[in-house]
Each structure stands twice: as structure tokens, then as C-alpha cells.
Amino acid sequence: MKIKKFLSTVLSVICVVALCVPVKAIESRASAQIAAYAMQVNPHSGYFSVFFSVTAAGEADKLGCESIYVYKMVDFDWELVKKETKRENDPGMSIKNDYDYANSIHCNSEAGEAYKIEVTIFAENSKGRDTRSQVFYNIGE
């Protein structure tokens, strides 16, 4: 009887230990395309400097800033400033076949006006395209 009890205890311990397998479900980087990124908006006299940086998880087919949308507060509503909108194919916004890219883009502003700046970075490779966005609120200087 003691042997059966001992064997069942040992088998129970073995089963519990076998089920305690560490599992890693979260990737250590931002995505399969983006390893690291940063975005920042700084006000200056007459303009904002929009800084972005993106590092791909390996060589990217294309990476950089997908878009910058500038909105101005008009009558308690955000109105898109179309002439300040920047897209990925505009000069300085993106690069092809590289590992990382950083740049600073200038967007005009008016002193004392409230602005909302929406910045989206991206990286694209054979596995797909991934983006990260951030919204900034600033007053023009």
C-alpha cells in the first residue's frame, strides 16, 4: 500500500513539473516590422518641427513617416490645415531599402493658435506593413 501511495505521489509531481513549461507570448519588439520608434513635436517661432525616428526589425522595403496631419482650432472644432499635410512620398518623409530612418519636418504655424498634430510612422517589409501613431497638442509661437 505504501508503494502505491509513493508511486502516485511521484507521478503527480512529475505531471505538475511537466506542465510548468515557460511560455513566451509577447514579442520583445514592437512588431514584425518595427523594432523601435520615436515621435516628438516642438514649437518654434512660426513653425513646428516634427521629429520622427523608426528602426525596422531587419531591412525594410520602405520606412519613415506615413503622414503628418496638422489641425487648427477654429470655432471650437479641429479644422485640417491641408497645405501643411505631409504624406510618405513627400520629400524627407520616407526611405527605401534601409534599416532605420530619422528626420525632422517643419510645418508652419501661427502664434497663439491651438494645433493638433497627428504623426504616423511606418515600416514595410515582405511580412507586411505596420504603423504607430501619436497625437500632439501645441500652441503656435
Side-chain angles (χ1 to χ4, degrees), residues 37-113:
Y37 65 93
M39 294 173 258
Q40 185 176 351
V41 174
N42 296 309
H44 301 279
S45 181
Y47 70 95
F48 293 108
S49 62
V50 179
F51 171 79
F52 62 88
S53 170
V54 59
T55 301
E59 186 174 2
D61 297 332
K62 191 173 184 183
L63 75 161
C65 189
E66 181 179 84
S67 62
I68 299 172
Y69 291 109
V70 178
Y71 299 88
K72 181 179 171 182
M73 178 65 78
V74 178
D75 296 328
F76 302 102
D77 196 15
W78 293 114
E79 187 176 289
L80 179 65
V81 183
K82 291 182 184 179
K83 66 181 180 177
E84 296 306 320
T85 296
K86 313 290 188 219
R87 302 293 296 188
E88 70 182 73
N89 293 323
D90 290 340
M93 291 287 284
S94 64
I95 193 169
K96 292 182 179 181
N97 302 319
D98 213 333
Y99 295 91
D100 58 10
Y101 186 60
N103 201 4
S104 185
I105 303 293
H106 293 180
C107 299
N108 294 319
S109 66
E110 297 174 29
E113 297 293 333

Side-chain angles (χ1 to χ4, degrees), residues 105-129:
I105 303 293
H106 293 180
C107 299
N108 294 319
S109 66
E110 297 174 29
E113 297 293 333
Y115 289 91
K116 176 173 89 167
I117 301 100
E118 213 173 274
V119 182
T120 302
I121 57 94
F122 77 100
E124 185 177 283
N125 63 18
S126 60
K127 296 178 184 174
R129 181 183 186 105

